[in-house]
Amino acid sequence: MHLARFHAAPEVFVAPGRVNLIGEHTDYAEGFVMPVAIDFATLAGISPRADGKVVLYSENYAEEKTFDAAALPAHAGKHWSDYPLGVVAILAGEGHQIPGFSLSLWGDVPLGSGLSSSAALEVATALAVASLVGVSYSGPVLARLCQRAENEFVGANCGIMDQFISANGKENHALLLDCRDLSFKLAPIPAHIALVIANTMVKHSVAGGDYTTRRAESETACAVINSHRGGVPFLRDATLEDLQKWGREMAPKSLLRARHVISENLRTVAAEKALEKGDLKELGRLMAEAHRSYSQDFEGSCVEADAMVELAQDLPGLIGARLTGGGFGGCTINLVEQSQAKAFAAELGRRYAARFGITPQIHICHASDGAHRIA
Ligand code: GLA
C-alpha cells in the first residue's frame, strides 16, 4: 500500500498492543505491572521525501494528512494524527532534525478497547522516524519518549506501562515491570495457558475524565501520608498500615483508591511469583481479588465488565479473570487452560450476548515480541 501510494519502498516496523495480567493504575504510582504484548499490532511504513513534507496516511481511517516538516503543529488537534505528530514533536525536542517523509499506518488493535492501540501507534511511529533520522534507542528509552508524546502532546495522563510493553515484550512471556526504575523480569507463560481476551464492547478512553479523576484521587491520598511521615512521593512507597493511621484524614473516595493501588502492588508481585512457581490456583485467586479491588475500591469497572468476569467463573478451564487496562469498559483477560479455550470463548460469548444483547468479540491471543523492524 505504501509503495502504490508514495512510489517509494518503505522500511516497515511493527509494534504490538498489550493485555495486562495484573497491576492496574499502579504504573503512575511508580509501582508494578505485569503486561503481555499480544498479536494485535500497528504497522508503520516510512520512506524519505524530497519536498520537505511530512505526509501521514492511516489505512484504518482511509485519510491522508500533509504538513511542512519545518512547521509541524505544536499542539494536538483531537485527531488520529496527534499520535504520530506527538512522537515526531518529542523526537524533534530531543534535537533531531526532522526531514520530509511519508508514513503509512495500519493496525488491527481494536480501538478504544483498552488494548493500547495508542501505544502501538506511538511505538511503531517512533521506531520508524528514529530509523529515518538515523538514531537507535533502547526499548525502555523509546517507551519513555512515546509516553511523553502521549502526556505532553496528545494530553492523556497515562503511565509508562503500555508503551513499555509494546517496545519490550517477549514472545511467550509476561513482563513484571518496576515502574520506578524500569527494571523488569520476564516470566514465561506455560504453553498450556491461553490468553482469552473478551471485549465488553463498552468503549474505553484514557483521555476520558474518569481515568484522570481516579488518578488525582489516589494521589491526594498519597499526599496525606507524605505529610505525616515523608518519603512517600508515590503510593508505591505507602503501606496498608499508613491507611489505617491516616485514612481518616482522607476523603472517603481517596482512601478507597489508595487502598486499591497499595494492595494491587502487593498482588502484582505475588502474581509473578505464583506464575513462576506454576501455582495457578494462587494466580487465579490474586486475579479475582484484583478485579474486586478494581471494581469496588477503585470503581474503575462497569456493569458489563463485572458481568463478563462473573459469567466466566464456572466455565471449565478458567484459571483467573479480571478487567484489564485503564477501566470503565474495554476487555477482560481470562487465563484459560489451552485445551478448553475455544469452548470457553464460545460459551462466554453466548452468555454475555444473552445478558446484554450484544455479541462480544472474544480473542484467543498469543504473547508476542515487542516492537521491531520487519522489512
Ligand atoms: C492505561 C494507561 C496505563 C495504565 C493503565 C491502568 O492503559 O495508559 O498507563 O495506567 O491504564 O493500569
Side-chain angles (χ1 to χ4, degrees):
M1 97 187 159
H2 189 98
L3 185 60
R5 173 169 290 269
F6 296 116
H7 312 292
E11 281 186 1
V12 185
F13 299 84
V14 62
R18 65 100 188 90
V19 70
N20 189 20
L21 301 188
I22 192 164
E24 229 61 84
H25 288 263
T26 47
D27 60 352
Y28 52 74
E30 297 207 341
F32 297 90
V33 293
M34 196 164 65
V36 176
I38 53 177
D39 39 0
F40 286 117
T42 293
L43 297 184
I46 195 161
S47 57
R49 298 176 68 96
D51 61 1
K53 303 277 182 209
V54 166
V55 183
L56 308 176
Y57 173 69
S58 162
E59 176 82 10
N60 296 76
Y61 290 97
E63 190 183 13
E64 189 176 290
K65 295 278 279 181
T66 300
F67 306 89
D68 280 331
L72 288 167
H75 301 287
K78 299 225 176 296
H79 189 260
W80 61 263
S81 57
D82 290 349
Y83 296 94
L85 286 174
V87 168
V88 173
I90 294 294
L91 290 174
E94 290 294 288
H96 300 296
Q97 185 77 32
I98 305 297
F101 64 86
S102 306
L103 181 76
S104 38
L105 299 161
W106 171 89
D108 65 357
V109 187
L111 299 181
S113 301
L115 299 178
S116 296
S117 56
S118 320
L121 184 51
E122 290 152 6
V123 172
T125 302
L127 273 187
V129 177
S131 166
L132 184 80
V133 302
V135 58
S136 154
Y137 290 112
S138 70
V141 172
L142 193 78
R144 257 309 174 223
L145 293 170
C146 291
Q147 183 200 10
R148 283 184 50 208
E150 189 145 347
N151 294 165
E152 296 169 26
F153 191 92
V154 177
N157 210 8
C158 66
I160 187 70
M161 167 167 69
D162 306 346
Q163 292 80 7
F164 196 94
I165 185 67
S166 183
N168 300 288
K170 185 152 163 35
E171 190 174 19
N172 300 327
H173 289 73
L175 188 155
L176 177 74
L177 174 66
D178 180 337
C179 299
R180 168 149 285 167
D181 61 8
L182 301 189
S183 60
F184 64 88
K185 189 165 168 190
L186 291 166
I189 300 178
H192 67 91
I193 300 182
L195 308 174
V196 182
I197 297 177
N199 193 339
T200 61
M201 313 307 281
V202 177
K203 285 278 181 197
H204 138 100
S205 149
V206 171
D210 288 332
Y211 181 95
T212 307
T213 311
R214 295 299 187 282
R215 178 174 176 164
E217 285 167 345
S218 73
E219 288 173 348
T220 312
C222 188
V224 171
I225 301 169
N226 198 43
S227 74
H228 285 286
R229 70 172 178 92
V232 188
F234 294 94
L235 280 178
R236 150 71 175 271
D237 306 298
T239 64
L240 293 170
E241 292 78 65
D242 290 330
L243 294 183
Q244 271 160 14
K245 283 194 198 148
W246 298 301
R248 253 167 281 116
E249 293 174 32
M250 298 169 189
K253 296 276 187 210
S254 281
L255 170 62
L256 290 176
R257 308 311 182 230
R259 191 165 74 179
H260 166 76
V261 176
I262 296 170
S263 61
E264 184 81 346
N265 271 325
L266 299 170
R267 281 188 293 270
T268 303
V269 173
E272 191 278 328
K273 293 217 171 75
L275 184 60
E276 211 176 342
K277 277 199 300 210
D279 187 348
L280 300 183
K281 207 161 162 231
E282 173 66 357
L283 181 61
R285 190 189 67 74
L286 290 162
M287 288 175 76
E289 216 176 282
H291 183 77
R292 244 190 327 274
S293 171
Y294 199 11
S295 178
Q296 291 171 18
D297 281 359
F298 206 75
E299 295 183 88
S301 187
C302 59
V303 172
E304 292 85 350
D306 285 347
M308 192 71 95
V309 167
E310 176 216 314
L311 293 172
Q313 291 308 314
D314 64 337
L315 290 179
L318 179 76
I319 295 161
R322 55 176 289 279
L323 171 62
T324 187
F328 314 103
C331 295
T332 65
I333 169 72
N334 303 266
L335 298 185
V336 181
E337 289 295 341
Q338 192 76 57
S339 57
Q340 316 262 18
K342 275 203 179 130
F344 176 96
E347 181 56 20
L348 182 58
R350 252 195 305 278
R351 289 180 175 189
Y352 188 83
R355 172 87 62 103
F356 293 105
I358 306 165
T359 304
Q361 283 166 5
I362 303 194
H363 314 283
I364 301 177
C365 283
H366 179 226
S368 304
D369 278 330
H372 56 279
R373 183 172 169 175
I374 52 172

